[in-house]
Amino acid sequence: MIVWINGAFGVGKTTTAGLLVERLPDAKVFDPEYVGYLLTQFVDSPTGDFQDLPLWRHLVVETMSGLAREYPHPWIAPMSLINPAYREQILDGIRADGVELHEVVLTLPEEQLRARIDADQVDVAARQWRHDHVARALTTFAAVTGAQLVDASQPPDQVADAITMSIRSVPRR
């Protein structure tokens, strides 16, 4: 199973992923960003965003599906997919490979999201980039269907507990 944690940049996906690993036996985090870092060592994205590279999206589907097949334990993927077409391509591609995928979208009102971005002292260099993508992310995630929406204004432990309980209540294929 893959738990894809989606949401705006800076909403708390990485924190939530770490807490889920503590709650789900044998779970591991795989951040699809690493595929982008690898790929951009060899090719440039005309837009500066590796998500705009078709090969990145293809490799994410193949990597996540392969990990789930070859190493069958829960995989946690903390990655914002704010382009609806890319989200559909990647998540539907993983599902088409026969992999169980549970998508969670962490939500926050804009004011709280911007305050959280400003308060982040770990990735200060990404602050402006995150702010620049808030409006698009909020628009995208307001229209999302087929995902579990989780209020990220709760304490991180409560967010992780809510996701864990929902995953455990879903019947396995």
Side-chain angles (χ1 to χ4, degrees):
M1 170 183 59
I2 295 171
V3 179
W4 195 286
I5 305 173
N6 213 337
F9 303 101
V11 76
K13 295 177 301 297
T14 301
T15 299
T16 301
L19 292 168
L20 284 176
V21 166
E22 296 172 5
R23 288 162 171 75
L24 298 172
D26 300 319
K28 295 191 183 311
V29 174
F30 180 81
D31 190 337
E33 217 167 60
Y34 291 122
V35 175
Y37 296 152
L38 172 74
L39 192 56
T40 55
Q41 295 300 306
F42 306 101
V43 296
D44 293 324
S45 171
T47 65
D49 184 349
F50 58 73
Q51 287 194 18
D52 292 329
L53 295 170
L55 182 56
W56 177 79
R57 298 187 302 276
H58 171 76
L59 290 174
V60 168
V61 170
E62 293 301 314
T63 302
M64 294 300 306
S65 296
L67 286 170
R69 274 192 312 273
E70 298 295 324
Y71 306 96
H73 47 75
W75 287 97
I76 314 298
M79 185 75 196
S80 296
L81 296 173
I82 64 172
N83 180 313
Y86 298 173
R87 175 182 169 266
E88 181 180 348
Q89 179 183 357
I90 290 170
L91 302 184
D92 288 355
I94 292 168
R95 289 179 178 118
D97 280 347
V99 176
E100 178 184 357
L101 188 139
H102 183 86
E103 182 189 15
V104 175
V105 175
L106 302 182
T107 63
L108 270 179
E110 182 173 355
E111 310 76 41
Q112 288 180 323
L113 177 59
R114 289 190 184 278
R116 188 172 288 180
I117 291 168
D118 287 338
D120 183 357
Q121 297 303 311
V122 174
D123 199 358
V124 175
R127 185 173 290 155
Q128 188 58 53
W129 195 89
R130 290 174 174 176
H131 275 297
D132 291 346
H133 291 83
V134 165
R136 184 173 183 198
L138 294 176
T139 299
T140 294
F141 296 123
V144 161
T145 59
Q148 176 189 1
L149 302 180
V150 176
D151 177 7
S153 66
Q154 306 171 72
D157 281 321
Q158 289 180 17
V159 171
D161 287 343
I163 295 167
T164 302
M165 287 191 328
S166 72
I167 291 167
R168 289 184 175 151
S169 69
V170 174
R172 294 284 177 256
R173 298 190 225 183

